[in-house]
């Protein structure tokens, strides 16, 4: 799949209002860049999840740091937290 096809498919999922989009990639920085650009274009908030950091806003601003609980590192708790957004 080309980058253009990936971005187009991702935009379709975002416009369809999917609450959670799971992306598995070896190119994390590249994917986050595409996701960030699409979110800006569509005026959407983006949160990322990792086992080590839990749920965090994609934005790197000081205001966005630490807004999500540490318990969101647990995958089941993270899904519960997403349901509360």
């Amino acid at each position: 799949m080309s980058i253009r096809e990936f971005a187009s498919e991702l935009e379709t999922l975002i416009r369809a209002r999917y609450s959670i989009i799971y992306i598995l990639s070896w190119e994390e920085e590249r994917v986050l860049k595409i996701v960030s650009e699409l979110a800006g274009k569509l005026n959407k908030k983006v949160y990322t999840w990792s086992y080590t950091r839990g749920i965090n806003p994609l934005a790197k601003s000081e205001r966005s740091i630490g807004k999500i609980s540490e318990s969101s590192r647990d995958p089941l708790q993270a899904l519960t937290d997403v349901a509360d957004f």
Side-chain angles (χ1 to χ4, degrees):
M1 175 182 290
S2 73
I3 292 174
R4 191 175 309 203
E5 291 170 329
F6 170 74
S8 176
E9 186 174 332
L10 185 58
E11 184 173 350
T12 299
L13 295 173
I14 293 170
R15 287 182 184 276
R17 297 181 178 214
Y18 277 67
S19 299
I20 298 172
I21 300 172
Y22 177 76
I23 301 170
L24 181 61
S25 174
W26 296 106
E27 300 183 67
E28 183 177 356
E29 288 182 32
R30 194 176 198 180
V31 169
L32 289 176
K33 182 177 186 281
I34 292 168
V35 169
S36 181
E37 289 171 358
L38 281 173
K41 174 182 169 185
L42 300 172
N43 197 29
K44 300 288 183 181
K45 294 179 184 178
V46 176
Y47 294 85
T48 62
W49 179 85
S50 74
Y51 183 74
T52 57
R53 291 175 287 201
I55 297 175
N56 285 291
L58 184 57
K60 304 293 187 211
S61 70
E62 287 295 317
R63 291 176 29 193
S64 66
I65 295 172
K67 297 231 182 222
I68 305 300
S69 71
E70 276 291 309
S71 66
S72 71
R73 289 177 44 204
D74 173 59
L76 294 176
Q77 182 61 45
L79 290 172
T80 301
D81 291 349
V82 168
D84 292 339
F85 288 170

